[in-house]
Amino acid sequence: MVNNIFVYGTLREGERNHWLLKDTNFKGTYETEPEYELRNFGPFPGMMPWGDTSVRGEVYEVSDDLLEDLDYHEGHPSFYNRTKIKLKDYSGEIQAYVISDHPRYQDKLPVIHSGDWKNR
């Protein structure tokens, strides 16, 4: 099965963990609907399902096996939760790694107001 995954941080092209996606099909650069908040955790960002920011990222087609590897890498479901999201100008089903169960982070980490990890 093919899965579409939206990545917005260290998995993006040019970032340190992009090597995990080297053999995948890049589908383009997109932005989420303005329903999120992007926080800076220092070495990586966290997209949270509250707020009014559009987060910028890239969409890749990944196999079930690679999705399982990404789940492990991203700490799903104990840290990030892989969940369905909505993107502007994208009609297919898409998932992303979102932080929703860690409210203690909400007020302690800097907000990335641009919604773009590469423009933090």
Side-chain angles (χ1 to χ4, degrees):
M1 184 173 167
V2 174
N3 307 281
N4 294 314
I5 192 83
F6 175 78
V7 299
Y8 54 87
T10 66
L11 291 168
R12 287 174 68 184
E13 184 177 358
E15 296 290 324
R16 73 178 184 278
N17 291 318
H18 183 71
W19 63 271
L20 289 162
L21 298 172
K22 69 179 175 0
D23 295 326
T24 62
N25 181 19
F26 173 69
K27 296 184 80 173
T29 300
Y30 294 90
E31 289 187 359
T32 67
E33 291 293 338
E35 302 171 352
Y36 300 93
E37 184 173 86
L38 193 63
R39 292 279 178 160
N40 188 337
F41 282 69
F44 60 89
M47 186 168 81
M48 300 178 184
W50 50 75
D52 56 6
T53 300
S54 294
V55 176
R56 186 172 179 83
E58 301 162 357
V59 173
Y60 293 88
E61 283 182 359
V62 300
S63 67
D64 287 339
D65 288 341
L66 181 54
L67 188 62
E68 188 174 312
D69 291 345
L70 291 173
D71 283 351
Y72 177 79
H73 176 79
E74 296 294 305
H76 168 73
S78 60
F79 188 75
Y80 285 99
N81 276 321
R82 181 171 38 86
T83 188
K84 291 181 186 178
I85 63 164
K86 293 184 226 170
L87 298 178
K88 295 178 184 176
D89 303 319
Y90 188 89
S91 59
E93 187 174 301
I94 190 80
Q95 297 182 72
Y97 293 97
V98 175
I99 296 176
S100 57
D101 295 331
H102 301 282
R104 69 182 179 271
Y105 295 135
Q106 184 174 357
D107 298 322
K108 296 181 180 176
L109 298 168
V111 174
I112 301 171
H113 294 286
S114 69
D116 188 343
W117 173 246
K118 291 186 173 188
N119 187 23
R120 51 190 181 279

